[in-house]
Amino acid sequence: MDAMTHKATMSAADPVTFYGTEVASRLLLGTAQYPSPAILAEAIRASGTEIVTVSLRRESGAAKAGQSFWQLIRDLGVKVLPNTAGCRTVKEAVTTAEMARELFGTPWVKLEVIGEDDTLQPDVFGLVEAARILSRDGFQVFPYTTEDLVVAEKLVSAGCEVLMPWGAPIGSGRGLNNPYGLRSMRAHFPGIPLVVDAGVGLPSHAAAAMELGYDAVLLNTAVAKAGDPVRMARAFAAAIAAGREAVIADPMEVRDMAAPSTPVMGRALLGS
Amino acid sequence: MKIIVNGEPADTAAGTLAGLLAELDMADAIVATALNGDMVRAARREATAIAEGDRVEILAPMQGG
């Protein structure tokens, strides 16, 4: 059975729900930095993802790059999650979200309010404020946040029904910098869909996030910048499916000392 | 009339945002617009006048993470 068939079989009975919308794939994929539009399209198909992130950027009169990109995404039949990438103030993020809602025709928004240049760490104060404004205005906000529980509580109070803590800084590929923090978040918000967003570099990082009980993983660079993005998309799909299957299977307890796995009873005495 | 379009100085004869889009051959393009930092919905572009020195943003769907 190949990875895609396996995933489809497994996730058919195990969807994740974001704001009332069920999706079978637990991989959310970014659409930036691919070598070509054709490879982007093929990677999206290979990943099995049903949700891709998109952005809004200045359109040039001559090139009209945005129009062909949008056609490509629509032809793939996936849902879009518009982001507010690059926004640094509440006003910028809110206005960008409003423009995205009109353009893409969805109330979903991946809310980013960036506060620091070296780490692209969210400005969590601005994030909470923007989340409150947008939720009141009918948006369904997917906030890009940290693993800080106090911030997370405030985001939920502001109306967020999904939380997306970072694994590591955007584009760093470092994996899960703070597994303890992510585990605490999972324990603290058992009923909220949690998505590790950003910093994932390898399928093993994504599997680890799923093994922590996360509902999904959002990544971009790890696939787009791989030598073979299509193959890497497939690898991530398999890893995320494996991690999800593992958490449902209820892993064994870790112990400090060895415990023989082969039965001791019935062992032959062959020494002198 | 001199305005700023997507951060670049531009010269336009258009009196409205809709007119400016037509001038730029983007009348039918899938874009979102803002005037001086505030969003202008597609339905409001005909009625939205532009003036000397205005800052116009014309945004389109683009790749994102």
Side-chain angles (χ1 to χ4, degrees):
Chain A
M1 191 186 282
D2 69 37
M4 295 311 297
T5 319
H6 181 52
K7 189 177 77 65
T9 313
M10 200 166 57
S11 53
D14 180 35
V16 57
T17 303
F18 298 121
Y19 289 100
T21 298
E22 274 191 5
V23 291
S25 170
R26 289 165 180 272
L27 168 55
L28 286 71
L29 193 61
T31 55
Q33 308 182 80
Y34 290 78
S36 71
I39 292 175
L40 164 64
E42 195 50 41
I44 289 173
R45 275 191 287 264
S47 73
T49 188
E50 292 162 59
I51 301 172
V52 298
T53 53
V54 293
S55 73
L56 279 182
R57 286 292 180 262
R58 288 168 167 175
E59 182 76 309
S60 76
K64 296 207 176 62
Q67 310 302 305
S68 54
F69 169 69
W70 185 222
Q71 191 56 51
L72 181 149
I73 295 299
R74 280 196 296 195
D75 290 347
L76 286 164
V78 287
K79 294 176 182 60
V80 293
L81 175 58
N83 69 28
T84 62
C87 290
R88 288 171 183 280
T89 66
V90 172
K91 158 82 172 152
E92 268 185 314
V94 168
T95 303
T96 301
E98 286 169 349
M99 294 173 84
R101 179 165 64 177
E102 181 181 78
L103 202 56
F104 296 109
T106 174
W108 285 6
V109 63
K110 171 181 161 176
L111 183 61
E112 292 183 38
V113 183
I114 299 300
E116 208 277 320
D117 278 338
D118 288 334
T119 59
L120 296 178
Q121 181 166 343
D123 167 1
V124 294
F125 306 97
L127 181 68
V128 170
E129 193 184 335
R132 186 172 295 118
I133 293 167
L134 291 170
S135 297
R136 272 195 201 133
D137 193 23
F139 282 88
Q140 297 174 337
V141 179
F142 294 59
Y144 167 61
T145 186
T146 66
E147 64 279 58
D148 189 301
L149 295 183
V150 180
V151 172
E153 282 285 8
K154 288 186 188 300
L155 287 168
V156 171
S157 299
C160 296
E161 295 178 21
V162 178
L163 295 170
M164 302 208 298
W166 62 350
I170 296 170
S172 69
R174 294 177 53 83
L176 310 183
N177 266 353
N178 184 1
Y180 167 79
L182 292 172
R183 188 180 294 118
S184 302
M185 199 167 183
R186 178 70 287 176
H188 198 73
F189 297 99
I192 302 263
L194 298 181
V195 182
V196 165
D197 174 10
V200 168
L202 289 169
S204 55
H205 301 152
M210 297 307 292
E211 286 168 8
L212 288 175
Y214 274 67
D215 294 282
V217 178
L218 196 168
L219 57 100
N220 184 348
T221 312
V223 167
K225 290 295 190 187
D228 183 343
V230 176
R231 206 170 187 114
M232 191 60 87
R234 237 178 343 252
F236 269 103
I240 288 167
R244 178 63 189 170
E245 190 79 324
V247 86
I248 293 170
D250 188 13
M252 64 170 281
E253 295 291 330
V254 175
R255 48 191 296 165
D256 286 332
M257 305 306 284
S261 49
T262 302
V264 177
M265 285 284 287
R267 186 169 60 89
L269 263 178
L270 301 174
S272 53
Chain B
M1 177 171 65
K2 295 201 186 315
I3 59 170
I4 308 284
V5 178
N6 286 347
E8 303 285 338
D11 225 321
T12 180
T16 65
L17 199 47
L20 176 66
L21 285 175
E23 210 178 64
L24 295 170
D25 195 23
M26 285 199 252
D28 300 320
I30 296 161
V31 291
T33 50
L35 180 63
N36 298 323
D38 291 317
M39 178 186 180
V40 178
R41 296 187 183 286
R44 297 282 310 153
R45 285 176 198 151
E46 285 286 356
T48 302
I50 50 177
E52 182 85 24
D54 275 351
R55 288 178 298 114
V56 177
E57 293 285 339
I58 304 169
L59 306 186
M62 213 59 77
Q63 295 84 348

